[in-house]
Amino acid sequence: MKNTQVILANRPVGVPKPEHFAIREVDVPVLAEGQVLIRVSHWSVDPAMRGWANDVPNYSPPVALGDPMRSFAVGEVMASRHPDYAEGDVVEGLLGWQTHAISDGSNIGRKVTEADLPRSYALGIMGLNGTTAYFGLLESCAAKPGDTVVVSTAAGAVGSAVGQIAKVIGCRTVGIAGGAEKVRQCREDFGYDAAIDYKSEDVASAVAAACPDGVDCYFDNTCGPISDAVMTRLAVGARITICGTAAITEWDPLPVGPRVHRQLLVARARMQGFLIFDYKDRLHEARTALADWLREGKISVREHILDGPEAALDSIGMLYRGENTGKLIVKVD
């Protein structure tokens, strides 16, 4: 049996390009005691993978050259010599960009038990993206009914979930996205009360018009100029959650922007970094709520699915260029 892998062949600086990857086939080894063999069906593509591929300080060590690209993935157990997993179990975890994964269980996040939902949802709304939106908004941003919530990359996999969860709990929502189509998605597909096109509008003026009483919660997926503009409209007691830095392509040299100290001071605001790994013991709580909202039709999902391992080579670049129209996934099964 052969395992097709997409490996990190060269170290990128910034966003990985197709030339930084290579496709190889290796034999699937015989299972040892305590291991499972997983036939992987879907790979996730996430902004964090840029940091994982680069050799820069991060919350996770960089992917070693020659290893399969680190990613969340979902698949079905083909064979098991592990007491906790049986043939036919569907599992999700950091299985990497490969068609077959052998695991001792340490990189498996969970068994996927929502048989009534598409399997790919385990990588998006029921996975890293949805749980990030849930805890980032409700815990880190501490959103409450009546708040005005502003979200950058509002049509993305995380941002679209943030906006919809905010509506479920009774917030007013303003999305910031790039291009007319993504602005349309924000309004029509994800129910934002207002949407701003950062490519064609002056963001500071548009935020001021959309948020006459100020911004209570800002869910920041970009940093950079978009966030600089939002900071000028903070309400008293505002909370800012920094979830991503998509607008910053390189950190060397360190980008310099407007200082935010005075805005935070005057608004008595709080700015906090957020990583979903801090909530790993509560993920079941988020998944239960998200699954219920999906079944009730209170939140919706858009996916952008690419076919085959070759499509993965430029998928991270595609994500950073904003070319995806939903949660970006590579279907390899």
Side-chain angles (χ1 to χ4, degrees):
M1 186 181 299
K2 295 293 185 180
N3 178 19
T4 301
Q5 302 175 324
V6 175
I7 64 167
L8 186 65
N10 302 285
R11 185 72 63 192
V13 176
V15 178
K17 299 179 175 62
E19 59 263 30
H20 295 116
F21 299 103
I23 296 176
R24 73 177 179 196
E25 282 196 348
V26 296
D27 291 331
V28 175
V30 176
L31 278 184
E33 193 65 35
Q35 292 182 328
V36 293
L37 172 62
I38 303 157
R39 176 67 172 95
V40 179
S41 60
H42 299 81
W43 301 338
S44 184
V45 185
D46 296 293
M49 296 170 72
R50 179 184 71 174
W52 296 345
N54 280 255
D55 190 10
V56 295
N58 207 321
Y59 55 84
S60 297
V63 177
L65 294 180
D67 280 0
M69 183 59 202
R70 181 186 302 142
S71 81
F72 290 92
V74 64
E76 185 172 330
V77 174
M78 296 181 65
S80 176
R81 298 186 66 185
H82 193 295
D84 296 337
Y85 302 97
E87 184 177 338
D89 284 345
V90 177
V91 297
E92 175 272 331
L94 279 169
L95 306 176
W97 279 356
Q98 53 186 343
T99 58
H100 296 78
I102 287 186
S103 173
D104 61 3
S106 61
N107 59 342
I108 295 176
R110 70 177 182 116
K111 294 180 184 178
V112 178
T113 58
E114 305 86 31
D116 60 321
L117 300 176
R119 182 185 292 186
S120 56
Y121 280 16
L123 300 177
I125 190 65
M126 295 296 292
L128 179 69
N129 305 121
T131 55
T132 291
Y134 181 92
F135 288 113
L137 179 70
L138 301 181
E139 296 285 340
S140 179
C141 246
K144 59 185 184 299
D147 279 346
T148 294
V149 177
V150 175
V151 185
S152 57
T153 64
V158 172
S160 62
V162 173
Q164 292 180 93
I165 295 168
K167 291 298 293 182
V168 168
I169 68 169
C171 297
R172 182 170 179 277
T173 56
V174 178
I176 303 174
E181 173 58 20
K182 291 193 176 181
V183 165
R184 183 203 65 76
Q185 287 181 21
C186 285
R187 293 195 180 107
E188 298 179 11
D189 297 343
F190 306 129
Y192 279 90
D193 295 295
I196 297 166
D197 182 357
Y198 72 83
K199 292 184 176 180
S200 64
E201 299 181 66
D202 178 80
V203 177
S205 298
V207 171
C211 308
D213 297 321
V215 177
D216 298 300
C217 295
Y218 175 43
F219 199 103
D220 185 3
N221 288 309
T222 59
C223 295
I226 290 173
S227 297
D228 294 338
V230 175
M231 294 292 179
T232 65
R233 297 301 303 173
L234 298 180
V236 172
R239 289 85 66 199
I240 302 116
T241 289
I242 304 172
C243 182
T245 61
I248 311 299
T249 56
E250 294 186 29
W251 291 95
D252 185 14
L254 194 67
V256 177
R259 307 288 185 181
V260 299
H261 304 84
R262 184 157 183 79
Q263 289 101 313
L264 297 177
L265 167 66
V266 172
R268 284 82 87 197
R270 169 173 57 83
M271 179 185 287
Q272 178 178 334
F274 174 85
L275 290 177
I276 188 58
F277 306 119
D278 295 335
Y279 294 87
K280 62 182 180 180
D281 296 330
R282 295 176 56 191
L283 293 177
H284 179 71
E285 170 191 334
R287 291 190 182 109
T288 298
L290 291 164
D292 287 344
W293 291 334
L294 283 165
R295 293 173 182 130
E296 293 165 7
K298 292 181 177 178
I299 58 176
S300 62
V301 175
R302 284 188 65 113
E303 295 180 312
H304 188 144
I305 297 181
L306 306 174
D307 289 321
E310 294 81 5
L313 301 181
D314 194 35
S315 61
I316 302 174
M318 180 180 178
L319 192 69
Y320 274 90
R321 293 191 298 270
E323 296 170 356
N324 57 303
T325 57
K327 165 61 185 174
L328 194 54
I329 291 170
V330 179
K331 185 176 185 295
V332 293
D333 190 5

